[in-house]
């Protein structure tokens, strides 16, 4: 089967601009986790769809704004994470929880705005949806109903798993030179595991060991998006998969108060368009986000939340999360090498990909993607 | 090197530091020191056996807790902290092949491995492991529960918060300030000041950091209202 996508979908800046407009500024996009914002005035800043976004806890409610001061368009919060009231660093304007301007130092002497202008000035506010401990933002003025993007069953699962997050997380950003779609497609394409991860992932996952050794073994069936000839819809693109894992738990996680699901399972929650949220052995919850920077540049945003533990020393030691982060990068580095090689080699006149039966999910996803792009 | 002639020292723990001390006892104390050993089979047993191990130590014996391996600093605390809470005497073990300026300040349960150098007026907290050939420069400060890797160095007047892991061959430059709970495991020079919970690893490339309560915000902090 020919892929619905052509090489230009991984190369072209015009297509990237369309993606930003029709996907990242239209859909609900995962923005961050609640434990990172769990106090008044705790905030985080990031970019979504080319727009600077500020998430700020305003007296317990998480709000999202365009992080631009209406005065001279300075970012209101300049750090990536922190805890300060919304006050612009440049001329000291402060803001209300709804984004309107609260105070302007020396307003009467220097600014002299008419009443209408003064009232209309504000930071633009965006729609926020909390799903368990996961925060989603939609930049569109008429946000898509959340249920149109994610099925109620999927929402329930993500909410349930994310409620196991502890009070900390380790977060890291890394830029790589390949198109963001490659990484999302890559995590759904399980068939690369024996070739790209023969030493890291394959030995830990009996589901794949058995599959590739043609052994029959009782195991969870790999979930698929498409089951028949009917066209796939947006809400089907976010789905879960699970399989066995037989790795030794990290030492510190043995103190986990509770674990999600089965301790011998590896769960994937694929959140369209660009998140792979996983749960490893019920206690580690790495969230990978493939954030587009340009047609050929992606920021890998990796957040590994802690789990609640009952050991005094382990509790004080967020540093233990380092082992989860290192484990994630160990596997992802192997993917990155492959995807960087793809991006280097592909060119505008390269042939169309030939996809096999097992790639029906990717084909279905590509059809939805194209219809979003041309909407 | 300890010179107390009738000293009794009990070595508790597991891992490389434990092994290296046990294999070289004469380099840490006078030959007439009486040594006791409490090896622990697995790091997962520390929490459950802390009480019974500590109760088994006779009066008049000083302790040294050596635990490393996975989750090294936090795991060592599972014995170190209860021992400290019981008020048990703890010693520092300084290899005779290490070189310490006489005016340094050392907490307790500090290990200084062979070939390590601690220069004048350096301040080292409690429960810090300074691996062989590491160098702590004048007036550098290292917080409690630290780990300084083999061949690493901490430059003069640099400061490290508690629970920091400095990997092998990492060189923290003079005057650099490193928050608590940081890990720098990228061999080579490091001169960036970093906040609590920051991680820099060769295999990660970009510095990573801990976010959440106590790191990027405080629940108790009544930050100035915008109201
Ligand atoms: S730019 Fe924000 S106050 Fe002037
Ligand atoms: Fe992979």
């Amino acid at each position: 089967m020919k892929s619905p996508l052509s090489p230009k979908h991984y190369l072209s800046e015009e297509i990237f601009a369309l993606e930003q407009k029709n996907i990242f500024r239209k859909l609900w996009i995962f923005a961050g986790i609640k434990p990172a914002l769990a106090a008044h005035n705790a905030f985080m800043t990031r970019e979504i769809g080319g727009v600077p976004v500020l998430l700020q806890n305003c007296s317990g409610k998480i709000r999202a704004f365009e992080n631009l001061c209406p005065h001279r368009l300075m970012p209101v919060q300049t750090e990536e994470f922190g805890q300060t009231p919304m006050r612009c660093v440049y001329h000291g304007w402060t803001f209300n929880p709804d984004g309107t301007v609260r105070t302007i130092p020396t307003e009467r002497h220097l600014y002299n705005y008419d009443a209408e202008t003064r009232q209309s000035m504000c930071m633009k506010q965006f729609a926020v949806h909390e799903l368990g401990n996961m925060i989603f933002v939609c930049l569109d003025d008429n946000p898509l109903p959340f249920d149109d993007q994610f099925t109620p069953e999927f929402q329930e699962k993500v909410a349930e798993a994310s409620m196991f997050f502890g009070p900390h997380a380790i977060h890291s950003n890394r830029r790589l030179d390949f198109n963001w779609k490659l990484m999302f497609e890559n995590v759904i394409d399980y068939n690369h595991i024996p070739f790209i991860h023969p030493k890291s992932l394959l030995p830990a996952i009996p589901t794949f060991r058995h599959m590739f050794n043609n052994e029959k073994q009782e195991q969870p069936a790999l979930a698929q998006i498409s089951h028949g000839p009917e066209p796939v819809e947006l809400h089907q693109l976010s789905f879960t998969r699970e399989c066995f894992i037989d790795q030794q738990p990290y030492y510190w996680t043995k103190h986990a108060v509770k674990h999600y699901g089965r301790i011998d399972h590896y769960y994937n929650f694929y959140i369209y368009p660009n998140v792979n949220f996983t749960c490893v052995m019920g206690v580690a919850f790495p969230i990978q986000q493939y954030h587009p920077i340009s047609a050929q540049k992606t920021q890998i945003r990796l957040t590994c939340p802690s789990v609640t533990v009952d050991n005094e020393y382990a509790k004080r030691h967020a540093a233990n999360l380092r082992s989860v982060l290192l484990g994630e990068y160990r596997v992802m580095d192997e993917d990155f090498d492959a995807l960087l090689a793809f991006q280097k080699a592909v060119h505008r006149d390269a042939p169309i990909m030939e996809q096999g039966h097992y790639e029906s999910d990717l084909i279905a996803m590509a059809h939805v993607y194209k219809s979003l792009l041309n909407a | 090197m300890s010179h107390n002639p009738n000293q009794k020292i009990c070595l508790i723990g597991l891992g490389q530091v434990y092994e290296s001390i046990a294999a070289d006892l004469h380099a840490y104390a006078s030959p007439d020191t009486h040594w006791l050993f409490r090896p622990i089979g697995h790091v997962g047993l520390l929490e459950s056996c802390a009480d019974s191990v500590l109760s088994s130590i006779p009066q008049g014996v000083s302790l040294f807790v050596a635990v490393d391996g996975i989750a090294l600093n936090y795991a060592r605390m599972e014995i170190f902290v209860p021992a400290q809470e019981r008020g048990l005497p703890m010693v520092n073990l300084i290899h005779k092949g290490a070189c310490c300026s006489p005016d340094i300040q050392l907490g307790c349960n500090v290990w200084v491995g062979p070939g390590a150098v601690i220069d004048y007026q350096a301040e080292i907290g409690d429960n810090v492991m300074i691996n062989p050939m590491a160098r702590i420069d004048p007036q550098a400060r290292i917080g409690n529960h630290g780990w300084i890797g083999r061949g690493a160095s901490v430059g003069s007047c640099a400061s490290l918060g508690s629970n920091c892991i400095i990997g092998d061959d990492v060189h923290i430059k003079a005057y650099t300030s490193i928050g608590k709970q940081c890990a720098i495991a990228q061999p080579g020079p490091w001169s960036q000041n970093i906040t609590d919970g920051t991680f820099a690893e060769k295999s990660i490339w970009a510095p990573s950091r801990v976010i959440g309560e106590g790191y990027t915000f405080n629940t108790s902090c009544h930050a100035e209202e915008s109201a």
Side-chain angles (χ1 to χ4, degrees), chain A residues 183 186-187 189-190 192-193 196-197 201 331-332 334-336:
Chain A
M183 197 58 194
N186 171 72
V187 292
D189 171 7
Y190 55 82
H192 76 277
I193 291 172
I196 298 293
H197 310 295
L201 207 49
V331 175
M332 279 206 292
E334 297 170 340
D335 294 309
F336 295 161

Side-chain angles (χ1 to χ4, degrees), chain A residues 35-42 81-83 85 87 94-95 102 167-174 251-252 254-255 311 313-314 316-320 322 325-326 329 333, chain B residues 43-44 46-47 70-71 74-75 77-78 81-82 163 165 181 183 185 199 201 203-213 215-219 221 223-227:
Chain A
L37 297 169
H40 178 51
N41 279 331
F81 296 95
Q83 185 180 32
R87 175 190 287 124
T94 66
F95 298 86
R102 183 173 188 89
H168 300 116
I170 178 164
H171 178 85
S172 108
N173 298 324
R174 180 158 151 196
Y251 167 59
W252 65 273
K254 86 183 176 68
H255 301 294
N311 174 286
Y313 313 115
R316 287 208 292 260
H317 287 252
N320 299 314
R322 171 173 172 254
L325 189 84
L326 292 176
Y329 270 122
D333 269 333
Chain B
V43 73
L46 290 167
E47 190 192 22
I70 7 169
Y74 123 73
M77 287 172 77
E78 295 201 32
V81 176
N163 301 95
I165 298 169
Q181 306 257 18
F199 298 79
E201 315 265 350
S203 53
I204 295 178
W205 299 354
S208 329
R209 62 188 293 199
V210 177
I211 54 176
E213 164 74 51
Y215 289 89
T216 50
F217 63 81
N218 288 302
T219 315
C221 147
E224 186 196 344
E225 289 296 314
S226 60

Side-chain angles (χ1 to χ4, degrees), chain A residues 137-148:
Chain A
V137 168
C138 181
L139 302 194
D140 198 32
D141 290 335
N142 296 304
L144 182 76
F146 201 71
D147 290 351
D148 286 4

Side-chain angles (χ1 to χ4, degrees), chain B residues 112-206:
Chain B
V112 184
V117 176
I118 306 186
D119 218 325
Y120 69 87
Q121 293 171 7
E123 290 175 30
I124 317 286
D126 296 336
N127 190 27
V128 176
M129 303 290 114
I130 298 175
N131 278 269
M133 314 307 291
R135 204 187 74 222
I136 313 297
D137 286 350
Q139 300 176 336
R141 292 207 320 268
I142 297 174
N144 297 338
H145 318 297
W147 175 274
I148 309 296
R150 178 179 282 267
S153 65
V154 179
S156 99
C157 301
S159 74
L160 270 56
S162 61
N163 301 95
C164 282
I165 298 169
I166 303 301
D168 294 351
D169 299 311
V170 172
H171 302 290
I172 308 291
K173 295 291 188 191
Y175 297 98
T176 308
S177 146
I178 308 285
K180 63 175 180 173
Q181 306 257 18
C182 293
I184 302 178
Q186 197 165 278
W190 185 272
S191 56
Q192 215 181 318
N193 293 337
I194 51 178
T195 59
D196 299 348
T198 305
F199 298 79
E201 315 265 350
K202 192 170 152 217
S203 53
I204 295 178
W205 299 354

Side-chain angles (χ1 to χ4, degrees), chain A residues 307-331:
Chain A
V307 65
T308 306
V309 292
D310 71 352
N311 174 286
E312 274 313 305
Y313 313 115
K315 205 180 285 176
R316 287 208 292 260
H317 287 252
N320 299 314
L321 289 170
R322 171 173 172 254
S323 51
V324 181
L325 189 84
L326 292 176
E328 283 292 291
Y329 270 122
R330 179 166 170 234
V331 175

